[in-house]
Amino acid sequence: MEAAAAELEKLQIEILHRISVLENSFLPQSSPPPLVSLPIDENETVARLSAILRSGGVNDFCFKRVAPDYYDWPFESRRDVLGASSVHHLCKSIVLVNTQASSNILDCSDRNNSKYYVVVVQYTARFNADAVKNFLYSLNDGKIPKKRFNLRLAPEETSIKLTGFEHNGVTCIGMKTDIPVILDEAITKLKPDFFWLGGGEIDLKLGVRTSEFLEFVKPFIVPCS
């Protein structure tokens, strides 16, 4: 009888444990988030950027909608929800302004000496502004004093005005202004060669084949992390 009672108690404890696990699965969780990307609605942004990509010969790409609190998630959860190959395949586009450009440099008409640049870097990397400064100095054959290059993060309102995209939604595809793009060299070395970046909306992400991206965007490739 004692053995039977002990076995019954053990079974009851196991059942209670399973019920507890089941209940917790229905409670709001701060971490980790549910690793499910949301369905894509073929809205204006997706349609417009898809058309631009296809017209430029880019065919291996996809969009994924993510949850509103995506940027509160750890990189590992972002990787999983997007189906990225690693956390290093998660990238962002940032708009930089050359605060020391000559007074006659007001726009992006000169690709080699632009007032603004969009830099695409990995989230896991640390951006090196001095590397970009040195690259631009060399790009102009040293004819422009190095002190004339000082790349800083552009104010958010400037970024929105130039790109047409809000913070965390910035992408270098389909920008309002044809801003020269700088791609961190490390991204070109990722295996497999398919990385993720902003998709034009805060909760929209774009995954694209690196080789096709390079051929279409033709960015400056700079080791800047």
Side-chain angles (χ1 to χ4, degrees):
M1 290 291 291
E2 289 182 2
E7 185 64 24
L8 179 61
E9 183 180 7
K10 181 180 178 182
L11 181 61
Q12 288 173 333
I13 291 173
E14 178 63 21
I15 291 172
L16 289 173
H17 173 69
R18 292 186 180 184
I19 290 174
S20 177
V21 171
L22 186 62
E23 286 177 340
N24 287 336
S25 70
F26 287 96
L27 293 176
Q29 299 290 318
S30 56
S31 178
L35 302 180
V36 179
S37 57
L38 303 178
I40 279 294
D41 52 330
E42 189 74 8
N43 67 359
E44 182 182 349
T45 300
V46 173
R48 184 175 73 86
L49 297 188
S50 295
I52 291 172
L53 287 165
R54 291 192 183 101
S55 68
V58 180
N59 296 301
D60 193 356
F61 68 90
C62 65
F63 287 91
K64 285 192 177 181
R65 186 77 63 182
V66 297
D69 61 345
Y70 172 86
Y71 285 102
D72 296 329
W73 300 357
F75 291 146
E76 290 77 12
S77 295
R78 301 186 201 180
R79 172 202 62 199
D80 293 344
V81 78
L82 293 175
S85 296
S86 76
V87 294
H88 306 300
H89 285 72
L90 306 177
C91 304
K92 58 184 175 181
S93 304
I94 55 177
V95 179
L96 301 180
V97 55
N98 183 3
T99 61
Q100 295 301 315
S102 299
S103 57
N104 62 316
I105 305 299
L106 302 173
D107 55 24
C108 306
S109 56
D110 184 351
R111 174 177 161 89
N112 291 356
N113 186 23
S114 176
K115 179 71 173 178
Y116 303 96
Y117 287 92
V118 170
V119 177
V120 182
V121 294
Q122 297 159 294
Y123 272 99
T124 56
R126 184 172 183 177
F127 173 62
N128 185 345
D130 284 338
V132 174
K133 174 181 179 176
N134 293 332
F135 168 77
L136 294 174
Y137 175 73
S138 298
L139 184 65
N140 288 276
D141 299 320
K143 295 177 182 178
I144 300 174
K146 189 173 286 189
K147 66 179 181 180
R148 286 297 182 185
F149 298 106
N150 186 49
L151 282 299
R152 291 292 180 264
L153 189 66
E156 187 173 344
E157 59 271 21
T158 301
S159 176
I160 293 173
K161 181 180 179 181
L162 292 172
T163 66
F165 304 124
E166 294 184 65
H167 178 62
N168 285 336
V170 177
T171 185
C172 52
I173 306 298
M175 297 182 292
K176 281 186 175 180
T177 309
D178 186 16
I179 310 174
V181 177
I182 295 173
L183 184 78
D184 185 11
E185 184 182 53
I187 298 174
T188 67
K189 298 179 180 179
L190 291 171
K191 300 295 181 185
D193 65 331
F194 191 96
F195 70 99
W196 290 86
L197 67 164
E201 296 178 10
I202 296 174
D203 61 349
L204 191 63
K205 303 304 157 196
L206 167 64
V208 63
R209 180 67 58 190
T210 311
S211 54
E212 294 187 358
F213 175 89
L214 294 176
E215 183 64 26
F216 174 49
V217 177
K218 292 180 172 55
F220 292 117
I221 300 175
V222 182
C224 56
S225 64

